[in-house]
Structures are given as structure tokens and as C-alpha cells.
């Protein structure tokens, strides 16, 4: 408990400094103001309704993947299995999956969350196709019941910037779809947004 309280004090002090408010050793802060700032920080640190939107995605899922090599091509089809769980006090959704066979075998890890500071959903992904991460941020659209997160990355080896949208579509409590849509010139070939990947996840029902 003492360690936890110490961490809170350190984090609160950092927050106060970020707001340009003098800390101990400079000018003594009014106790009421300090309590107000502490309460604000603690409230911002708690998961909210946006995080609850991710909770139904926890569980075990059968995965069907469609992948297009270029605009207009026929899709390649893969199957897999994924497991997701809420972590860090229900602040993030951790998803791990395996799919494909042989040279196309893939292991993937994705962390979904919601940044209350910027009011945006966040996604950070890793897989066995590289040693880098792929990130995106965006907002929930109630009209389409989906989260659209955009991102970009400059690749120094190929010397071009990739731009993409991740679209998370909530279908029902037992199904959701994840799409990867590229928007950069190299992927789209000048033909507009190009959906390269569509992943349909269907909940694996528990045997009674």
C-alpha cells in the first residue's frame, strides 16, 4: 500500500508539473487544489464506457481470413483460432491468434484500448511477419457500429510511407469483423482505398 501511494504521489506531481503548477520545494499548493488534481488524475486513469465496448470481444474465436494481394485479385483464404482477454484492470483487450499453414503460418498479438486523454481508440499490433509494430487510432461511429482507426508508417528500407485504416465492425455478440484498408499510392495503384485483409471472427461456443 505504501508503494502504491508513493507511485500515486509521483504521478500526481508529474501531472501538476505538466500543467505548470508549482510543486513542493517551490510554492506550497492549496490542499483543496491538490485534492482536486489528484481526483482528476485518478478518474482519468479508470476505464470507462468506451472500454466496456471492447469487453464483448473477450473469448475464443474461430477466424476466417480473406487476403487480397492487389486490387482486383482473387482473395486467398485462411483459417485460424484466436483468444482475447481484458487486461490491466479492463483497460485493454489483448488478442492472440494463429492462422495459415506452412509459409503462410502467422502468429499475431494485438492490443486494443481507448485513450481517455485524446478520446480515441488505439490499436497496436505485432506478428511473425516482421519485427516492427503497426499502430492506429480513431473513433467509434455509432451509425455503422464500428471503430475506424487510421495510421501510417515510413519504411526506411523501401523508402515509402504506408497509410491504412483498421476497421473494427461489431456484428453481434458472437461475431465481429476486422478490416485492413490501405490508402497509399503503392498499395492502391491509384484505384482508391484497397481492402487487403478481412478477418471474420466467430465465437467458439462452450460445450455443455
Amino acid at each position: 500500500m505504501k508503494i502504491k501511494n508513493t507511485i500515486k504521489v509521483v504521478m500526481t506531481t508529474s501531472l501538476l508539473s505538466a500543467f505548470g503548477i508549482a510543486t513542493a520545494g517551490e510554492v506550497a499548493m492549496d490542499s483543496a487544489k491538490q485534492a482536486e488534481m489528484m481526483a482528476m488524475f485518478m478518474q482519468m486513469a479508470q476505464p470507462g464506457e468506451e472500454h466496456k465496448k471492447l469487453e464483448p470481444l473477450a473469448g475464443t474465436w474461430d477466424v476466417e481470413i480473406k487476403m487480397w494481394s492487389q486490387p482486383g485479385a482473387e482473395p486467398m483464404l485462411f483459417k485460424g483460432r484466436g483468444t482475447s482477454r481484458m487486461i490491466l484492470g479492463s483497460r485493454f483487450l489483448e488478442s492472440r491468434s494463429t492462422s495459415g499453414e506452412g509459409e503462410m503460418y502467422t502468429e499475431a498479438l494485438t492490443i486494443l484500448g481507448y485513450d481517455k486523454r485524446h478520446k480515441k481508440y488505439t490499436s497496436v499490433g505485432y506478428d511473425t511477419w516482421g519485427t516492427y509494430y503497426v499502430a492506429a487510432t480513431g473513433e467509434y461511429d455509432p451509425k455503422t457500429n464500428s471503430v475506424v482507426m487510421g495510421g501510417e508508417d515510413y519504411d526506411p528500407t523501401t523508402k515509402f510511407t504506408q497509410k491504412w485504416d483498421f476497421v473494427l465492425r461489431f456484428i453481434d455478440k458472437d461475431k465481429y469483423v476486422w478490416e485492413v484498408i490501405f490508402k497509399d499510392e503503392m498499395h492502391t495503384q491509384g484505384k482508391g482505398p484497397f481492402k487487403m485483409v478481412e478477418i471474420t471472427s466467430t465465437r467458439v461456443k462452450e460445450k455443455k
Side-chain angles (χ1 to χ4, degrees):
M1 181 63 70
K2 183 181 293 185
I3 294 176
K4 190 172 183 178
N5 288 338
T6 300
I7 292 174
K8 287 183 180 179
V9 170
V10 171
M11 295 178 75
T12 302
T13 300
S14 299
L15 180 65
L16 298 178
S17 298
F19 277 90
I21 300 173
T23 56
E26 297 175 296
V27 178
M29 173 178 285
D30 178 84
S31 60
K33 184 65 174 179
Q34 187 173 6
E36 180 183 340
M37 295 296 290
M38 171 66 86
M40 181 188 71
F41 176 78
M42 295 307 296
Q43 190 278 329
M44 288 294 290
Q46 299 306 310
E49 291 301 315
E50 297 83 2
H51 299 88
K52 290 182 180 179
K53 191 72 179 175
L54 301 175
E55 290 181 358
L57 302 184
T60 302
W61 305 84
D62 282 329
V63 177
E64 294 184 351
I65 302 171
K66 294 180 181 180
M67 181 180 295
W68 292 263
S69 59
Q70 61 183 12
E74 289 297 314
M76 296 178 284
L77 305 177
F78 307 96
K79 292 185 180 296
R81 176 66 63 93
T83 302
S84 300
R85 64 188 182 114
M86 297 301 292
I87 62 172
L88 301 181
S90 295
R91 290 170 175 82
F92 300 92
L93 179 80
E94 175 192 85
S95 298
R96 295 177 179 270
S97 66
T98 58
S99 62
E101 298 178 349
E103 293 183 352
M104 300 303 292
Y105 175 77
T106 306
E107 296 179 26
L109 165 65
T110 301
I111 306 293
L112 286 174
Y114 182 80
D115 188 334
K116 293 175 71 174
R117 304 169 307 157
H118 298 289
K119 295 179 170 46
K120 290 183 181 293
Y121 281 93
T122 61
S123 172
V124 182
Y126 307 84
D127 61 37
T128 50
W129 285 80
T131 59
Y132 54 89
Y133 69 92
V134 178
T137 63
E139 300 176 352
Y140 172 72
D141 181 357
K143 293 182 179 180
T144 60
N145 195 26
S146 63
V147 177
V148 181
M149 297 170 283
E152 64 178 63
D153 175 69
Y154 174 73
D155 190 330
T157 57
T158 57
K159 293 182 170 47
F160 78 93
T161 299
Q162 302 181 79
K163 297 181 180 181
W164 58 80
D165 279 345
F166 293 156
V167 181
L168 170 59
R169 295 195 285 116
F170 302 93
I171 306 302
D172 56 42
K173 66 183 181 65
D174 293 322
K175 181 175 291 188
Y176 69 94
V177 175
W178 180 273
E179 297 173 325
V180 180
I181 301 172
F182 280 96
K183 301 189 294 184
D184 57 87
E185 185 69 21
M186 191 196 80
H187 284 99
T188 66
Q189 299 178 13
K191 300 177 181 179
F194 163 49
K195 181 166 69 172
M196 177 178 278
V197 181
E198 179 182 277
I199 304 172
T200 301
S201 296
T202 304
R203 190 182 302 276
V204 176
K205 299 293 184 66
E206 294 183 4
K207 296 181 179 180
K208 297 181 180 181

